[in-house]
Amino acid sequence: MDRLASVPEISIIIPTFNEKENVAELVRLVAAAMAGISWELIFVDDNSPDGTARTVRDLAATDGRVRCIQRLGRRGLSSACIEGMLSSSARYLAVMDGDLQHDETLLPKMVDVLRHGDADIVVATRYAAGGGTGDWDARREQLSRASTGLAKKVLHVELSDPMSGFFAIERDTFLGLAPKLSGVGFKILLDLFASANPPLRFREIPYEFRSRQAGETKVDGMAALDFATMLLQKRIGRFVPPRFVYFCLIGGSGLAVHMVTLWLSYQVAGVGFAASQAIATAVAMVGNYTLNNIITYRESKLSGLAWFRGLFLFCLACSVGAVANVGVASYLFSGGTLWVLSALAGVLVSTVWNYAATAFYVWRVPNSAR
Ligand code: GDD
Ligand code: MN
């Protein structure tokens, strides 16, 4: 008689980017730690250049408990975790780093807590008695503590380590929250807590963050921006998308760039006014495009040939915006509206147009993520 293959009790989601050297050891350690519990490992790899996905697939070929999701053309720790979790049918889900810095022997303890049913989520914490941040330097430690404090204040999350990338949650609880997640950046746990209403019932287990043996960290300056984006998303995201805020701020800085360039060209270098104005416009446009590519659309950043194509489309879209701007402003002005208000209305219309058009045509961001 056929027996149905059983579903594991827990899926452990491992986001990876350039972790080829670590995955085999990770599978070995998890297998050793999880004796007596049925489990599977789901690696979610963002097409790492070092070929992590191939290595995982090779392991999966001889071990059915290992799976690989390979994402093309996308980056992001949080979104990788979310997709991995959505692909699971297990009762419990865990998220753990793929670089051996998280202590896998916590996993059975997490399962134990969830089985008892008095917590929806179990979080491994570095900031409680018995935990620690390993060999982090003072700067990284300070940064982590500062953002932890900010997260507690702004989002009213009572966790000792809301930035932890190591936790386990009931699948049904996760599924209930998934549609509300922002999915931006690194802070998947914070995202879950900030999205939950009523608040999640949690338990914390302290652990010592290990030092990295192979590969390198991907948490860089951009992580701070991701963090800011998430705070914005949770506080004002219902009214304005954080991306639109960045787009406007960059647009504003473009005005300053324009005026400085104009001044340099017209006043200092003595070039004619019309030519200077044209040069300033070009410089401001390229500047705006570059900054939006690095900041606003960092998760779909264009490079190589696509960068030039994007620049062309960006300038094209903004030219249409400029025509609309002048059109709307002149129309209102001729109808008797105060000149300042006419101008502002023109600027508003062109800004919204530029934002929507460039999101769609230049960075090709799908509707829901805008
Ligand atoms: N799929 C995918 N896509 N995985 C990624 C990406 C990405 O864009 N960026 C990083 N990862 C994977 C790494 O390969 C690793 O397995 C895990 O996510 C954590 O990344 P690290 O780069 O090692 O992060 P860290 O050790 O510096 O930071 C740790 O502490 C932070 C708290 O301060 C992590 O645990 C973070 O999750 C945590 O927020
Ligand atoms: Mn790490």
Tab-separated table of all heavy atoms in Angstrom, residues 219-250:
chain	number	residue	atom	x	y	z
A	219	VAL	N	25.092	43.348	5.687
A	219	VAL	CA	24.477	44.485	6.367
A	219	VAL	C	25.413	45.680	6.237
A	219	VAL	O	26.504	45.675	6.771
A	219	VAL	CB	24.221	44.162	7.857
A	219	VAL	CG1	23.704	45.385	8.581
A	219	VAL	CG2	23.213	43.033	7.967
A	220	ASP	N	24.996	46.701	5.468
A	220	ASP	CA	25.865	47.862	5.249
A	220	ASP	C	25.077	49.142	5.504
A	220	ASP	O	24.036	49.118	6.137
A	220	ASP	CB	26.402	47.832	3.811
A	220	ASP	CG	25.267	47.729	2.795
A	220	ASP	OD1	24.105	47.964	3.184
A	220	ASP	OD2	25.550	47.417	1.626
A	221	GLY	N	25.581	50.257	5.006
A	221	GLY	CA	24.919	51.543	5.211
A	221	GLY	C	23.474	51.540	4.751
A	221	GLY	O	22.622	52.193	5.337
A	222	MET	N	23.200	50.764	3.711
A	222	MET	CA	21.848	50.723	3.173
A	222	MET	C	20.859	50.139	4.178
A	222	MET	O	19.661	50.394	4.094
A	222	MET	CB	21.806	49.898	1.883
A	222	MET	CG	22.343	50.641	0.685
A	222	MET	SD	21.340	52.086	0.319
A	222	MET	CE	22.492	53.058	-0.621
A	223	ALA	N	21.372	49.338	5.120
A	223	ALA	CA	20.484	48.734	6.106
A	223	ALA	C	19.816	49.806	6.955
A	223	ALA	O	18.653	49.673	7.337
A	223	ALA	CB	21.252	47.750	6.984
A	224	ALA	N	20.547	50.898	7.234
A	224	ALA	CA	19.986	52.001	8.009
A	224	ALA	C	18.813	52.618	7.241
A	224	ALA	O	17.767	52.936	7.808
A	224	ALA	CB	21.054	53.050	8.284
A	225	LEU	N	18.990	52.735	5.937
A	225	LEU	CA	17.944	53.300	5.084
A	225	LEU	C	16.737	52.358	5.041
A	225	LEU	O	15.585	52.795	5.101
A	225	LEU	CB	18.522	53.484	3.687
A	225	LEU	CG	17.783	54.437	2.787
A	225	LEU	CD1	17.825	55.835	3.367
A	225	LEU	CD2	18.430	54.437	1.407
A	226	ASP	N	17.005	51.070	4.943
A	226	ASP	CA	15.923	50.083	4.958
A	226	ASP	C	15.121	50.209	6.249
A	226	ASP	O	13.895	50.105	6.258
A	226	ASP	CB	16.487	48.661	4.886
A	226	ASP	CG	17.004	48.339	3.498
A	226	ASP	OD1	16.596	49.010	2.540
A	226	ASP	OD2	17.829	47.417	3.385
A	227	PHE	N	15.850	50.436	7.327
A	227	PHE	CA	15.220	50.556	8.633
A	227	PHE	C	14.316	51.785	8.662
A	227	PHE	O	13.153	51.714	9.075
A	227	PHE	CB	16.314	50.639	9.700
A	227	PHE	CG	15.790	50.703	11.090
A	227	PHE	CD1	15.021	49.668	11.594
A	227	PHE	CD2	16.062	51.795	11.901
A	227	PHE	CE1	14.538	49.724	12.888
A	227	PHE	CE2	15.570	51.852	13.190
A	227	PHE	CZ	14.810	50.817	13.689
A	228	ALA	N	14.850	52.923	8.171
A	228	ALA	CA	14.065	54.161	8.115
A	228	ALA	C	12.818	53.941	7.249
A	228	ALA	O	11.720	54.375	7.599
A	228	ALA	CB	14.910	55.293	7.557
A	229	THR	N	12.994	53.237	6.137
A	229	THR	CA	11.869	52.976	5.242
A	229	THR	C	10.783	52.207	5.967
A	229	THR	O	9.592	52.481	5.826
A	229	THR	CB	12.335	52.160	4.022
A	229	THR	OG1	13.429	52.835	3.425
A	229	THR	CG2	11.214	51.991	3.005
A	230	MET	N	11.221	51.244	6.786
A	230	MET	CA	10.220	50.450	7.453
A	230	MET	C	9.467	51.259	8.503
A	230	MET	O	8.237	51.131	8.641
A	230	MET	CB	10.832	49.241	8.094
A	230	MET	CG	9.705	48.417	8.585
A	230	MET	SD	10.103	46.787	8.727
A	230	MET	CE	10.106	46.833	10.433
A	231	LEU	N	10.199	52.109	9.246
A	231	LEU	CA	9.513	52.949	10.227
A	231	LEU	C	8.498	53.849	9.507
A	231	LEU	O	7.362	53.995	9.950
A	231	LEU	CB	10.517	53.807	11.015
A	231	LEU	CG	11.502	53.041	11.905
A	231	LEU	CD1	12.393	54.016	12.671
A	231	LEU	CD2	10.799	52.125	12.884
A	232	LEU	N	8.913	54.438	8.378
A	232	LEU	CA	8.008	55.283	7.582
A	232	LEU	C	6.788	54.494	7.131
A	232	LEU	O	5.653	54.932	7.244
A	232	LEU	CB	8.727	55.812	6.339
A	232	LEU	CG	9.621	57.036	6.489
A	232	LEU	CD1	10.361	57.297	5.176
A	232	LEU	CD2	8.796	58.256	6.861
A	233	GLN	N	7.065	53.301	6.609
A	233	GLN	CA	6.002	52.436	6.101
A	233	GLN	C	4.952	52.167	7.174
A	233	GLN	O	3.758	52.245	6.932
A	233	GLN	CB	6.619	51.119	5.629
A	233	GLN	CG	5.626	50.077	5.181
A	233	GLN	CD	5.201	50.309	3.758
A	233	GLN	OE1	6.038	50.579	2.909
A	233	GLN	NE2	3.916	50.240	3.496
A	234	LYS	N	5.434	51.847	8.373
A	234	LYS	CA	4.503	51.486	9.436
A	234	LYS	C	3.754	52.697	9.971
A	234	LYS	O	2.624	52.581	10.417
A	234	LYS	CB	5.252	50.795	10.583
A	234	LYS	CG	5.805	49.435	10.203
A	234	LYS	CD	4.690	48.464	9.831
A	234	LYS	CE	5.259	47.180	9.281
A	234	LYS	NZ	4.278	46.426	8.500
A	235	ARG	N	4.407	53.865	9.984
A	235	ARG	CA	3.748	55.048	10.540
A	235	ARG	C	2.898	55.802	9.527
A	235	ARG	O	1.807	56.225	9.831
A	235	ARG	CB	4.788	56.004	11.170
A	235	ARG	CG	5.442	55.467	12.436
A	235	ARG	CD	4.482	54.814	13.435
A	235	ARG	NE	3.616	55.722	14.155
A	235	ARG	CZ	3.824	56.166	15.370
A	235	ARG	NH1	4.914	55.819	16.039
A	235	ARG	NH2	2.969	56.967	15.948
A	236	ILE	N	3.410	55.995	8.300
A	236	ILE	CA	2.652	56.816	7.344
A	236	ILE	C	2.306	56.066	6.054
A	236	ILE	O	1.717	56.634	5.151
A	236	ILE	CB	3.421	58.098	6.967
A	236	ILE	CG1	4.769	57.726	6.338
A	236	ILE	CG2	3.608	59.027	8.147
A	236	ILE	CD1	5.311	58.800	5.419
A	237	GLY	N	2.703	54.784	5.989
A	237	GLY	CA	2.548	54.015	4.752
A	237	GLY	C	1.115	53.952	4.230
A	237	GLY	O	0.887	53.799	3.042
A	238	ARG	N	0.134	54.091	5.147
A	238	ARG	CA	-1.267	54.041	4.733
A	238	ARG	C	-1.623	55.253	3.880
A	238	ARG	O	-2.521	55.218	3.072
A	238	ARG	CB	-2.164	54.008	5.963
A	238	ARG	CG	-2.721	52.633	6.230
A	238	ARG	CD	-3.586	52.665	7.464
A	238	ARG	NE	-2.843	53.204	8.601
A	238	ARG	CZ	-3.416	53.800	9.641
A	238	ARG	NH1	-4.726	53.954	9.691
A	238	ARG	NH2	-2.687	54.227	10.654
A	239	PHE	N	-0.912	56.362	4.116
A	239	PHE	CA	-1.238	57.610	3.420
A	239	PHE	C	-0.326	57.880	2.223
A	239	PHE	O	-0.792	58.254	1.149
A	239	PHE	CB	-1.174	58.784	4.396
A	239	PHE	CG	-1.889	58.504	5.682
A	239	PHE	CD1	-1.197	58.308	6.858
A	239	PHE	CD2	-3.282	58.386	5.698
A	239	PHE	CE1	-1.861	58.023	8.046
A	239	PHE	CE2	-3.956	58.105	6.870
A	239	PHE	CZ	-3.249	57.921	8.054
A	240	VAL	N	0.986	57.743	2.428
A	240	VAL	CA	1.933	57.956	1.316
A	240	VAL	C	2.973	56.854	1.320
A	240	VAL	O	3.494	56.495	2.371
A	240	VAL	CB	2.766	59.267	1.490
A	240	VAL	CG1	2.535	60.243	0.381
A	240	VAL	CG2	2.624	59.861	2.849
A	241	PRO	N	3.313	56.327	0.146
A	241	PRO	CA	4.365	55.303	0.120
A	241	PRO	C	5.717	55.945	0.466
A	241	PRO	O	6.000	57.043	-0.017
A	241	PRO	CB	4.364	54.798	-1.321
A	241	PRO	CG	3.376	55.625	-2.071
A	241	PRO	CD	2.751	56.612	-1.167
A	242	PRO	N	6.555	55.260	1.306
A	242	PRO	CA	7.876	55.806	1.637
A	242	PRO	C	8.687	56.149	0.384
A	242	PRO	O	9.431	57.124	0.381
A	242	PRO	CB	8.538	54.671	2.414
A	242	PRO	CG	7.425	53.886	2.973
A	242	PRO	CD	6.292	54.004	2.018
A	243	ARG	N	8.527	55.375	-0.661
A	243	ARG	CA	9.280	55.658	-1.886
A	243	ARG	C	8.955	57.046	-2.429
A	243	ARG	O	9.812	57.727	-2.961
A	243	ARG	CB	8.957	54.622	-2.966
A	243	ARG	CG	9.704	53.338	-2.794
A	243	ARG	CD	9.890	52.664	-4.158
A	243	ARG	NE	10.565	51.400	-3.996
A	243	ARG	CZ	9.947	50.228	-4.066
A	243	ARG	NH1	8.664	50.171	-4.318
A	243	ARG	NH2	10.624	49.125	-3.899
A	244	PHE	N	7.689	57.434	-2.309
A	244	PHE	CA	7.293	58.749	-2.796
A	244	PHE	C	7.969	59.837	-1.960
A	244	PHE	O	8.392	60.870	-2.485
A	244	PHE	CB	5.763	58.897	-2.749
A	244	PHE	CG	5.259	60.180	-3.346
A	244	PHE	CD1	5.454	60.446	-4.695
A	244	PHE	CD2	4.608	61.125	-2.569
A	244	PHE	CE1	5.003	61.633	-5.260
A	244	PHE	CE2	4.152	62.313	-3.121
A	244	PHE	CZ	4.347	62.570	-4.462
A	245	VAL	N	8.116	59.577	-0.649
A	245	VAL	CA	8.804	60.530	0.226
A	245	VAL	C	10.250	60.706	-0.243
A	245	VAL	O	10.739	61.828	-0.407
A	245	VAL	CB	8.774	60.041	1.699
A	245	VAL	CG1	9.584	60.956	2.597
A	245	VAL	CG2	7.331	59.935	2.186
A	246	TYR	N	10.931	59.589	-0.497
A	246	TYR	CA	12.328	59.674	-0.977
A	246	TYR	C	12.396	60.391	-2.324
A	246	TYR	O	13.283	61.210	-2.564
A	246	TYR	CB	12.944	58.275	-1.112
A	246	TYR	CG	13.140	57.569	0.209
A	246	TYR	CD1	12.861	56.209	0.338
A	246	TYR	CD2	13.605	58.245	1.327
A	246	TYR	CE1	13.037	55.559	1.561
A	246	TYR	CE2	13.772	57.603	2.538
A	246	TYR	CZ	13.489	56.263	2.644
A	246	TYR	OH	13.657	55.622	3.842
A	247	PHE	N	11.452	60.054	-3.189
A	247	PHE	CA	11.434	60.648	-4.526
A	247	PHE	C	11.313	62.176	-4.424
A	247	PHE	O	12.016	62.916	-5.113
A	247	PHE	CB	10.255	60.065	-5.323
A	247	PHE	CG	10.300	60.350	-6.791
A	247	PHE	CD1	11.044	59.561	-7.653
A	247	PHE	CD2	9.585	61.418	-7.326
A	247	PHE	CE1	11.086	59.810	-9.015
A	247	PHE	CE2	9.613	61.685	-8.698
A	247	PHE	CZ	10.366	60.884	-9.539
A	248	CYS	N	10.436	62.643	-3.521
A	248	CYS	CA	10.248	64.093	-3.355
A	248	CYS	C	11.471	64.749	-2.733
A	248	CYS	O	11.874	65.842	-3.140
A	248	CYS	CB	9.026	64.366	-2.483
A	248	CYS	SG	7.494	63.931	-3.300
A	249	LEU	N	12.064	64.089	-1.737
A	249	LEU	CA	13.257	64.653	-1.100
A	249	LEU	C	14.383	64.792	-2.122
A	249	LEU	O	15.080	65.801	-2.181
A	249	LEU	CB	13.724	63.766	0.062
A	249	LEU	CG	12.829	63.795	1.303
A	249	LEU	CD1	13.334	62.793	2.342
A	249	LEU	CD2	12.797	65.206	1.909
A	250	ILE	N	14.537	63.778	-2.953
A	250	ILE	CA	15.582	63.814	-3.977
A	250	ILE	C	15.260	64.895	-5.007
A	250	ILE	O	16.133	65.637	-5.447
A	250	ILE	CB	15.753	62.421	-4.623
A	250	ILE	CG1	16.378	61.473	-3.596
A	250	ILE	CG2	16.627	62.496	-5.883
A	250	ILE	CD1	16.411	60.022	-4.005
